[in-house]
Amino acid sequence: MTNQGDLIISNTRIVTPTGTKAACGGKMNDLTIIDNAVIVITAGRIIYAGPADDIDLQQPPLSSHSRFNAGGGVSLPGFVDSHTHLVFGGFRPDEFEWRLKGESYMSIMERGGGIQSTVNATRNEQSESLLKKAEWFLDRMIEMGVTTVEAKSGYGLDFESEQKMLQVIKQLQNDENRKLDIVSTFLGAHAVSDKFKGRTSDYVDYIINTMLPAFKDLAENCDIFCEKNVFEIEDSRRLLLAARKLGYKIKLHADEIVTLGGAELAAELGALSADHLLHVSTEGIKKMAEAGVVATLLPLTAFALREPYAPARKFIKAGCAVALATDLNPGSCFSGSIPLTIALACIYMGMSIEETITALTLNGAAAIGQAESKGSLETGKFGDVVILASDNYHVLPYYVGMNCVKTTIHHGRIVAQNP
Ligand code: NIG
Ligand code: FE
């Protein structure tokens, strides 16, 4: 499956953002629409995406490409889910019920539940079982049109268990039957390890001195839960500077529960993205826009935690690039639903349908540093395509929480075909 495909998609309407950088502010609305189009993918890369009338498909070598008739359906770039906690042990359904009864996410965490409970389960679970579970979620994602997914560690919080998680992610990446791309993020600073209880700075030192250098070949990005009473600004800055120095790209869980200045820190450090941002300050939005940091918004988490949604319109008005992602994890957001992400973004965050498409494609790719090769249907980019069951992309939020994806194509190969 990892060898690259030669495929011609015909009878389709292309709907795509364009460019090799994140689309900022008002530009998020700019989609190119090409009717009666074809997409030609050679060796996994798009060599043509344009009007059917402008290309001779009978000439060699195109005459020997496989053919796929999209039945008039819309072709979008493959979705990039740029923020997930894909690998985890156990589940936390009881905690969800406690939250329904009024207990807060942070109070559950402070009394040893929350992230720590998944840490215990992850430490106790064999790699093989973690892998199988992650594969199940990956298959569901592919059906929803995801062709690239970011996966974080962060449920180990000690050397062996963080390494185990990153090795599971590496195994998924190296699987020769792999049907999507996986980007690995080290999140050892997801919570203060129980082994360093009350000694946050010592744990940060341990991550800096021991884990970060050892995991360089296992992860491309480094993330941190920058939050009050977890890792506050000074410790976050220290850790992220060390990660950046070692060559990791950096990301932050920022201003999720309270306004702390995580957005400002992301701007100061030139992070790829700051994520969540439910409680971002006006200054933080301005600084992120100026610094070109992608604002990755996670509406499913706000929905599941019954929190206010992140201010997408303010980010867009300030000229920031907004990405959308699922945040799939066993606690705050046990959902990887792309359809519901789109619906919530449109219905509750006031994003246009065009903006949500850009946010899940080009800007999602930018949030993992891959906008040069992914996120739009243009010559030179990977042949990652989502074909909808309709010729009208407005169905995406309209069919609330339901999957409009008919076919998912990864690097020129059909990887999901929904009934
Ligand atoms: O992105 N807030 C921190 N991390 C995750 C939740 C992890 C969990 O609850 O297990 C998040 O929301
Ligand atoms: Fe997260």
Side-chain angles (χ1 to χ4, degrees), residues 83 85 92 105 115 155 190 225 253 256 276 327 329 331-332:
H83 182 139
H85 304 254
R92 288 155 43 200
Y105 178 77
I115 291 173
Y155 291 122
H190 196 190
F225 187 18
H253 284 64
E256 177 181 358
H276 284 288
D327 195 23
N329 74 73
S332 65

